Amino acid sequence: MPVDYSKWDNLELSDDSDVEVHPNVDKRSFIRAKQNQIHAERQQRRLKIETLKYERQINDGLIKRISGLLAALKANAAEAEANLAEVAFRAVMESAGSPEEDTPPPRPEGVHANVEQPPTYSKMMATMLDQVNTTLNEKSPENRYVAMMEEMEDHLKKVKDLQNQLLAKLAELEQEEGRKITSESIHTGFDSSYVAKSTPSTSEQKSDSKVELLNPNFSASKSDEAKAAPAADEDDDAEIEASADGRKFAKIKASEYRESHDFLTSHPNILSEKETDGILVMAFDAQLDNKDDLARNYIHQALLLQYCRSLGRDGVALFFKRINTKGHKAQEVFFKDVYDTYLRIKGRAAEINAQRAAGDGSGDVEQIQLHAVEPGTEIKIQIPPTNSEDEAEKHGREIFESFAPDMRKALETGSLDKVNEVLGKMKVAEAEELVGLLGEAGILSLEEQIIDATTDEGKQKIKDLEEQAAMESYTDDPE
């Protein structure tokens, strides 16, 4: 394989002993000045990146609150037309939440050091409302409610346009930062490995297999964890099941909110993603048996858990307060989510039942499976982190969370076989679309396979690869 040396062109050196300078210029002073210039430019660029990220974070919070204010005014249009200022002020105060939520995040070190800490989001919103009211007083529109909605939508558009500008500038700076390879780019890769040496075994004496460590700093606890990993994979199907408490909660009727509230208050342990996924699996199984009402009830209870969990520390009380408030916007959002989820599960269950009915004795069925085509490579699975600030990773995480529970569980195991099992149960068109989303999210990557040539298995793999390469070269050039 030819070696690509082009990456060395991106090395950024701050100390070059071969530099040529004018005879009247001191060489050491020139090199020192060049070093200071490079370090100063790098530091300014990184500070600018941190500043843009912080400003985008502030604007995200502002966009969320302006959108919430617009939604509140639309939901209470009749009351707003009669007493516009009071409704708007009440909506701003409700969106403020706790003092921690109303306070912008702390600034990173060095960002806007000479500027005061930004005001709370409620003060920002109040300032915006003052500007809108001033504009409306100058224009004196006939319908003040419509004019106010238009002015706030204009403010929202300005903030979103600013976000797009900041994102473009941030991408440009990050590309410039990543273009050069510096000493700070060096990081530790694989810092532990081992080779299991084969030992002759006799029927008279059994000896424990010992491991010769290539890295003396390798911890034996990591080896124990590695041995326990296959057992965790084998138990993966059991992990997706709801607990006994979760199954009891799922059987509570959807209309009995008081009973659900009391059960969650006494069993807060079921407020987890595992329980939500487990109850959704129960709903799927019920729909496969054509038990529509039971499946719909399970879905309602599963999404109830999800909403309570996503609303934060006081999510249970907040959810039931909103769901029991007549005409609250939250009711429409929640019930629509339940309905859409039920339609997806119902459609998928109908397809599986149809495949089962038509697939008995009909022979092979076309499937989509993932395999590395190029010899010596393998497909790796890497799930985007939850709390990443990187836009690409955030987008990838959103795609990952949109997958069905069985596909998410399969990806979390890191096993390509588990992913192929889920793909094998899907229709070809759906599987192709899902594989495309996996690529868009950056979850799948093709890497060179690491083969341990000191073992018999490794030697056999190398031999197979060499034979395969020889066959390919013969096919390309039969002469």
Side-chain angles (χ1 to χ4, degrees), residues 122-301:
S122 57
K123 287 185 178 180
M124 296 183 194
M125 295 293 294
T127 302
M128 185 200 72
L129 286 177
D130 288 340
Q131 295 174 358
V132 171
N133 286 325
T134 301
T135 304
L136 294 180
N137 292 335
E138 293 174 355
K139 293 182 178 180
S140 300
E142 294 181 1
N143 191 325
R144 192 176 180 88
Y145 170 79
V146 175
M148 186 175 191
M149 295 292 290
E150 291 175 352
E151 285 293 328
M152 286 195 298
E153 288 175 351
D154 184 58
H155 277 270
L156 180 61
K157 182 178 181 300
K158 289 179 181 178
V159 179
K160 289 183 176 180
D161 291 341
L162 177 60
Q163 283 291 77
N164 293 332
Q165 296 174 14
L166 294 178
L167 180 60
K169 183 63 176 176
L170 181 61
E172 178 184 346
L173 291 175
E174 288 180 337
Q175 182 180 7
E176 178 65 18
E177 179 69 11
R179 189 174 63 86
K180 291 295 184 181
I181 301 174
T182 67
S183 60
E184 297 176 7
S185 304
I186 300 174
H187 61 279
T188 303
F190 297 99
D191 61 353
S192 64
S193 59
Y194 64 90
V195 176
K197 298 183 66 177
S198 59
T199 56
S201 60
T202 62
S203 58
E204 299 155 358
Q205 180 180 3
K206 292 184 180 179
S207 60
D208 295 335
S209 61
K210 294 188 178 181
V211 174
E212 179 181 354
L213 298 181
L214 296 179
N215 182 2
N217 294 325
F218 178 71
S219 172
S221 61
K222 295 182 180 179
S223 177
D224 296 337
E225 292 174 4
K227 293 177 182 177
D233 292 342
E234 294 174 0
D235 196 43
D236 182 62
D237 291 337
E239 290 182 0
I240 205 171
E241 294 182 0
S243 65
D245 289 339
R247 291 192 293 271
K248 290 180 182 178
F249 178 77
K251 294 177 181 178
I252 299 176
K253 291 185 178 181
S255 58
E256 298 294 336
Y257 286 116
R258 180 180 296 277
E259 186 177 353
S260 294
H261 187 194
D262 294 341
F263 192 92
L264 287 179
T265 302
S266 58
H267 300 83
N269 56 295
I270 67 173
L271 288 169
S272 66
E273 183 179 3
K274 173 181 175 294
E275 299 291 350
T276 299
D277 292 343
I279 297 177
L280 286 176
V281 170
M282 293 171 59
F284 192 81
D285 293 338
Q287 191 61 44
L288 286 174
D289 295 335
N290 295 319
K291 299 177 180 178
D292 298 359
D293 293 338
L294 184 60
R296 192 181 295 109
N297 194 87
Y298 286 162
I299 292 171
H300 179 280
Q301 296 300 92

Side-chain angles (χ1 to χ4, degrees), residues 194 200 303 377 436 449 460:
Y194 64 90
L303 293 185
T377 61
Q449 187 177 13
Q460 183 62 38

Side-chain angles (χ1 to χ4, degrees), residues 307-326:
Y307 273 65
C308 289
R309 193 174 65 250
S310 64
L311 288 174
R313 184 178 57 185
D314 300 326
V316 174
L318 187 59
F319 173 82
F320 285 100
K321 177 182 178 182
R322 292 178 177 178
I323 206 70
N324 288 319
T325 301
K326 188 175 181 180

